[in-house]
């Protein structure tokens, strides 16, 4: 069957002498694998579209579900060149791609998640906070996997905590959400977070990256957000994130 789809390359792997195998996240068909013959050759017409994070129109033949496709034609929409020119931006872009490659199921359509990836890459490239974009995508992945944290009510007694304001609340990863002061003792390992962090975590659950504005977040709040999201991601997904490790190394190098 011949497919004509818009997609973003979320993995590019060398194969044999001059070929590449791409994992492409597409708007109508979800994540698909495609062989690109001759893509490694310098004069290949597919060299540009076979790069990580490339957004393009792809035409490929696939004999059946679960089979590797073969690229017939491709047209570049956006190379995201600016992402590749900056070490930090490239790291965030690669992390978004890795999230989709590792967590999104094969050949399962989700136009909304395609739009979020597209918007996320564009936001990072335009100078928006890469950490905010990454955390928003992480939260969506938690939700799709059935691990969305309960951030509105105490997971123990059900009291409303949506308007915590300037007060600190406890976030229990093991129990899957926030704890009120009376129930905080039920998880000694719960993470204490400020009202600002609590508000942003709730925002991530509803955030459409196509409407992301400019955000100014204090360093201490960023550190709390990172601690919380990593705790959830590492608890529920047993994955060693290569791009996340790269970002950590760059952060240490630049500070």
């Amino acid at each position: 069957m011949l497919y004509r789809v818009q997609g973003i390359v979320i993995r590019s792997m060398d194969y044999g002498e001059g070929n590449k195998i791409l994992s492409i996240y597409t708007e109508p068909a979800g994540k698909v694998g495609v062989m690109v013959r001759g893509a490694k050759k310098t004069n290949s017409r597919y060299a540009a579209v076979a790069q990580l994070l490339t957004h393009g129109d792809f035409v490929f033949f696939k004999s059946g579900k679960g089979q590797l496709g073969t690229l017939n034609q491709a047209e570049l929409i956006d190379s995201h060149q600016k992402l590749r020119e900056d070490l930090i931006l490239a790291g965030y872009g690669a992390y978004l791609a890795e999230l989709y490659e590792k967590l999104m199921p094969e050949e399962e359509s989700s136009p909304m998640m395609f739009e979020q990836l597209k918007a996320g890459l564009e936001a990072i490239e335009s100078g928006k906070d890469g950490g905010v974009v990454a955390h928003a995508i992480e939260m969506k992945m938690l939700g799709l996997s059935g691990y969305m944290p309960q951030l509105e009510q105490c997971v123990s007694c059900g009291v409303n905590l949506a308007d915590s304001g300037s007060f600190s609340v406890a976030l229990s990863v093991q129990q899957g959400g926030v704890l009120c002061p009376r129930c905080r003792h039920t998880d000694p390992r719960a993470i204490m977070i400020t009202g600002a962090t609590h508000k942003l975590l709730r925002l991530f659950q509803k955030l459409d990256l196509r409407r992301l504005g400019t955000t100014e977040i204090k360093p201490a709040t960023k550190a709390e957000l990172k601690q919380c999201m990593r705790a959830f991601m590492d608890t529920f997904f047993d994955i060693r994130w290569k791009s996340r490790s790269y970002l950590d190394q760059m952060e240490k190098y630049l500070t």
Side-chain angles (χ1 to χ4, degrees):
M1 182 177 178
L2 196 65
Y3 292 81
R4 297 176 182 271
V5 301
Q6 187 179 135
I8 296 171
V9 178
I10 55 176
R11 189 184 182 197
S12 180
M13 181 176 65
D14 292 344
Y15 181 78
E17 289 291 324
N19 308 322
K20 285 193 174 187
I21 295 177
L22 306 182
S23 181
I24 307 173
Y25 196 77
T26 72
E27 186 172 18
K31 184 173 66 177
V32 295
V34 177
M35 168 77 76
V36 186
R37 301 191 184 280
K40 289 170 62 179
K41 297 179 181 178
T42 54
N43 61 346
S44 172
R45 57 178 174 162
Y46 297 135
V49 295
Q51 300 297 313
L52 184 69
L53 306 181
T54 296
H55 178 199
D57 284 316
F58 299 89
V59 179
F60 58 89
F61 178 81
K62 227 167 164 304
S63 59
K65 189 175 177 64
Q67 300 297 309
L68 188 66
T70 302
L71 190 70
N72 289 43
Q73 186 181 336
E75 184 176 339
L76 185 69
I77 295 175
D78 191 343
S79 67
H80 289 299
Q81 185 63 34
K82 288 183 180 179
L83 291 181
R84 286 195 281 273
E85 291 173 349
D86 184 282
L87 294 175
I88 296 295
L89 299 188
Y92 279 117
Y95 183 51
L96 296 196
E98 192 175 9
L99 284 168
Y100 274 72
E101 170 63 17
K102 297 284 178 65
L103 298 180
M104 294 304 292
E106 297 282 344
E107 300 183 31
E108 210 170 281
S109 176
S110 178
M112 183 274 290
M113 287 303 291
F114 174 82
E115 289 297 332
Q116 294 306 294
L117 175 59
K118 177 175 174 287
L121 293 174
E122 291 171 351
I124 295 170
E125 194 170 38
S126 69
K128 304 289 176 60
D129 193 306
V132 169
V133 174
H135 293 328
I137 294 290
E138 288 172 336
M139 191 69 83
K140 295 180 193 307
M141 293 295 181
L142 287 168
L144 288 172
S145 303
Y147 302 123
M148 183 69 84
Q150 169 57 260
L151 300 175
E152 302 291 331
Q153 291 88 31
C154 173
V155 291
S156 182
C157 71
V159 68
N160 182 30
L161 292 173
D163 298 317
S164 59
S166 60
F167 297 100
S168 296
V169 297
L171 180 65
S172 171
V173 176
Q174 297 301 323
Q175 295 187 42
V178 287
L179 294 168
C180 70
R182 287 184 300 177
C183 300
R184 195 173 296 166
H185 69 279
T186 62
D187 184 1
R189 293 178 296 176
I191 304 168
M192 295 305 302
I193 58 174
T194 62
T197 299
H198 185 202
K199 182 178 179 180
L200 284 167
L201 288 172
R202 288 187 287 114
L203 175 65
F204 293 156
Q205 293 184 328
K206 305 171 185 177
L207 181 62
D208 184 339
L209 289 169
R210 291 172 292 184
R211 296 177 176 82
L212 179 65
T214 302
T215 54
E216 291 291 337
I217 303 175
K218 295 179 181 179
T221 303
K222 286 186 180 183
E224 284 190 0
L225 289 171
K226 182 177 178 180
Q227 180 187 12
C228 294
M229 292 309 301
R230 288 213 172 172
F232 275 102
M233 294 296 290
D234 291 345
T235 297
F236 298 116
F237 305 118
D238 186 18
I239 297 172
R240 183 177 179 181
W241 304 98
K242 292 181 180 179
S243 50
R244 200 178 75 176
S245 297
Y246 166 81
L247 283 168
D248 287 345
Q249 291 173 358
M250 290 304 302
E251 186 178 286
K252 290 179 182 178
Y253 177 76
L254 295 174
T255 55

